[in-house]
């Protein structure tokens, strides 16, 4: 297959981790006889520096002519004092809205060889396998008015029934493909938008009698995520709650550098990015964990290109490299087991090559 991928590297560790993901995709393309064309474009702080805009027209045009978008991360202290329209994060929100990428899928899965990296007890984290389904184009990050003066500030939280219905439908459909349970997280004891959310879930569950539904208030959900994460299958929630809960969930897996995400709309077009941000504290040192970006690229192959075998091959390679005891510095402190971003990516590529060779041998017997 021939596919065009827009690569928006962004700021901080964004370029370091997307470079790793592109290298892995190049190997997959070669091994599976695909052609991936990578078109690089600007977003975030680097776009502000070059184009005085966090999401330039040129970037939108490149993304529009692509089959999917791969993104690193945006933001950093350099732009923290900028007015809100010149904040890097504005570019990220704008691209999600422009392409109507309302469904943000954030898988959180414990990897047996990484249990040591979590501060939580092994028993608590070992069977975790959940999918956080975060509404991505509505809620308080997009509501108007949104303004601040020295004396007061306002943000607005709005959800329409249609916005809630489409993300809840996505969660139910995913639950059917998984363990058949949806936990809907809201703050319906206080917020009107959450009351509507709760009502919509109650109505829609009638269409999914095979799916178990539970409601959880966000504050206690934050607690249960740490005390009993294995009890969750699909978690569906609004934009800001999903943002916060998914960073919290990274503690289960051991590092924020491990969590990938897919932001998709109904027709399969999507933007793929790590859950983490630009990590200014480690940027430029060549030590960032590229796993989240590489696994986001795997999600791109699965959800936008229908390349399930290729996606699974990448995921297996990543898991095997961890099993073999190779880590980045966020996951281990032991000498000899810690690798730079580039070295660790080389290990994944080596493993991909090995898998391909052993599969070819297997196929030759068939
Ligand atoms: N999707 C995006 O582009 C996002 C952008 N941001 C922006 O990123 C900037 C920094 O935000 P923070 O709150 O510090 O969150 P962050 O996610 O960038 O970093 C939080 C902590 O996790 C570590 N970390 C994150 N990813 C890592 C990786 N791949 N390997 C190793 N360590 C990793 C960082 O070093 C840091 O200690 C801000 O400007 C923020 O607005 C934050 C979240 C998401
Ligand atoms: C600009 C922020 C909403 C980015 C973020 O933290 C996220 O999407 O996870
Ligand atoms: Mg976030």
């Amino acid at each position: 297959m021939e596919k065009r991928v827009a690569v928006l590297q962004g700021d901080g560790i964004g370029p370091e981790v997307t470079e790793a993901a592109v290298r892995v995709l190049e190997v997959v393309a070669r091994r599976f006889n695909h052609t991936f064309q990578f078109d690089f474009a600007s977003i975030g702080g680097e776009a502000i520096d070059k184009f005085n805009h966090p999401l330039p027209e040129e970037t939108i045009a490149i993304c529009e002519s692509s089959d999917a978008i791969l993104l690193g991360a945006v933001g950093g202290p350099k732009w923290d004092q900028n007015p809100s329209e010149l904040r890097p994060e504005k570019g990220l929100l704008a691209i999600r809205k422009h392409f109507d990428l309302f469904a943000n899928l954030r898988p959180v899965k414990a990897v047996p060889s990484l249990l040591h990296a979590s501060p939580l007890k092994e028993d608590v984290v070992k069977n975790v396998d959940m999918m956080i389904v975060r509404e991505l184009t509505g809620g308080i990050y997009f509501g108007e008015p949104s303004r601040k003066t020295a004396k007061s500030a306002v943000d607005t939280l709005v959800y329409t029934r249609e916005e809630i219905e489409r993300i809840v439908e996505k969660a139910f459909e995913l639950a059917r493909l998984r363990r058949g349970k949806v936990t809907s997280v809201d703050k319906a004891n206080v917020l009107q938008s959450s009351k509507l959310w709760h009502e919509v879930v109650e109505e829609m569950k009638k269409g999914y009698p095979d799916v178990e539904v539970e409601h959880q208030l966000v504050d206690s959900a934050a607690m249960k995520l740490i005390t009993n994460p294995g009890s969750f299958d699909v978690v569906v929630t609004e934009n800001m709650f999903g943002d916060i809960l998914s960073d919290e969930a990274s503690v289960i897996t051991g590092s924020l550098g491990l969590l990938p995400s897919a932001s998709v709309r109904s027709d399969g077009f999507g933007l793929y990015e790590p859950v983490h941000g630009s990590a200014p504290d480690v940027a430029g040192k060549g030590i960032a964990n590229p796993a989240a970006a590489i696994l986001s690229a795997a999600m791109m192959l699965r959800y936008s290109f229908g390349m399930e075998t290729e996606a699974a091959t990448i995921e297996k390679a990543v898991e095997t490299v961890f099993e073999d005891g190779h880590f980045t510095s966020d996951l281990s402190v032991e000498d000899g087991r810690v690798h730079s971003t580039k070295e660790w990516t080389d290990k994944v590529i080596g493993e991909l090559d090995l898998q391909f060779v052993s599969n070819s041998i297997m196929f030759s017997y068939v």
Side-chain angles (χ1 to χ4, degrees):
M1 273 193 223
E2 283 188 25
K3 295 288 178 192
R4 293 183 70 165
V5 180
V7 184
L8 316 184
Q9 297 189 290
D11 310 313
I13 62 170
E16 300 167 43
V17 297
T18 43
E19 187 188 316
V22 167
R23 286 183 62 212
V24 166
L25 286 171
E26 279 168 344
V27 174
V28 168
R30 203 169 59 243
R31 291 302 196 177
F32 286 87
N33 268 328
H34 299 305
T35 306
F36 296 151
Q37 180 184 317
F38 299 101
D39 297 311
F40 289 76
S42 293
I43 193 165
E46 49 122 9
I48 293 169
D49 291 350
K50 277 191 219 144
F51 301 94
N52 202 34
H53 198 288
L55 181 64
E57 282 297 323
E58 185 187 297
T59 299
I60 295 177
I62 288 175
C63 294
E64 276 174 349
S65 60
S66 298
D67 298 299
I69 306 166
L70 190 66
L71 190 140
V74 299
K78 182 175 177 192
W79 306 280
D80 277 356
Q81 302 312 317
N82 281 16
S84 68
E85 62 283 5
L86 285 180
R87 283 291 306 257
E89 294 80 0
K90 248 320 195 235
L92 186 59
L93 296 178
I95 198 169
R96 291 170 177 171
K97 193 76 170 179
H98 180 89
F99 287 98
D100 196 25
L101 304 168
F102 70 90
N104 185 217
L105 313 182
R106 299 185 154 189
V108 180
K109 199 171 175 182
V111 178
S113 49
L114 293 180
L115 298 182
H116 70 271
S118 175
L120 305 181
K121 289 191 188 119
E122 216 175 290
D123 264 9
V124 173
V125 296
K126 72 175 179 216
N127 293 321
V128 171
D129 180 2
M130 75 178 90
M131 178 70 88
I132 298 178
V133 179
R134 166 188 172 194
E135 202 291 326
L136 201 63
T137 51
I140 201 161
Y141 294 167
F142 291 94
E144 292 293 342
S146 166
R147 60 170 179 266
K148 174 184 149 305
T149 65
K151 291 212 167 130
S152 72
V154 57
D155 292 294
T156 304
L157 171 47
V158 182
Y159 267 111
T160 64
R161 174 173 284 271
E162 289 71 27
E163 283 175 316
I164 302 170
E165 278 173 356
R166 64 180 183 171
I167 192 71
V168 170
E169 181 185 10
K170 189 89 192 165
F172 275 117
E173 295 298 337
L174 279 165
R176 276 191 167 157
L177 300 172
R178 293 171 50 93
R179 300 194 304 282
K181 181 176 170 189
V182 168
T183 305
S184 171
V185 173
D186 62 40
K187 190 70 184 172
N189 53 345
V190 180
L191 299 175
Q192 297 301 326
S193 55
S194 279
K195 283 187 187 138
L196 181 61
W197 185 284
H198 192 104
E199 277 170 28
V200 169
V201 174
E202 278 298 287
E203 283 164 26
M204 288 184 68
K205 78 176 189 189
K206 294 176 193 141
Y208 298 87
D210 49 327
V211 176
E212 182 194 342
V213 176
E214 68 177 14
H215 296 274
Q216 185 84 50
L217 295 170
V218 65
D219 41 3
S220 55
M223 179 271 290
K224 288 210 169 149
L225 205 52
I226 293 300
T227 53
N228 192 10
S231 66
F232 296 105
D233 178 14
V234 173
V235 176
V236 64
T237 191
E238 61 97 69
N239 201 341
M240 184 166 72
F241 296 161
D243 188 3
I244 297 167
L245 292 180
S246 49
D247 267 37
E248 184 192 355
S250 74
V251 175
I252 300 165
T253 64
S255 170
L256 198 45
L258 294 170
L259 295 196
S261 89
S263 306
V264 292
R265 62 185 190 207
S266 313
D267 67 0
F269 184 81
L271 179 154
Y272 299 84
E273 60 169 324
V275 165
H276 64 70
S278 62
D281 51 340
V282 299
K285 298 180 179 164
I287 59 169
N289 186 344
I294 292 171
L295 294 172
S296 300
M299 291 183 90
M300 177 180 83
L301 300 184
R302 172 173 296 121
Y303 290 110
S304 281
F305 300 167
M307 298 178 183
E308 177 56 38
T309 308
E310 292 83 334
T313 306
I314 294 177
E315 288 161 352
K316 177 88 186 106
V318 166
E319 207 173 317
T320 307
V321 170
F322 286 137
E323 266 166 28
D324 290 348
H326 303 297
F327 307 112
T328 41
S329 59
D330 51 321
L331 294 171
S332 177
V333 289
E334 287 177 44
D335 279 352
R337 288 152 65 96
V338 174
H339 301 276
S340 69
T341 309
K342 177 163 184 316
E343 287 162 355
W344 193 83
T345 308
D346 288 343
K347 301 267 178 218
V348 173
I349 288 172
E351 186 53 40
L352 278 174
D353 284 334
L354 261 179
Q355 274 190 42
F356 196 85
V357 169
S358 55
N359 280 343
S360 310
I361 291 167
M362 232 167 61
F363 296 147
S364 70
Y365 285 107
V366 180

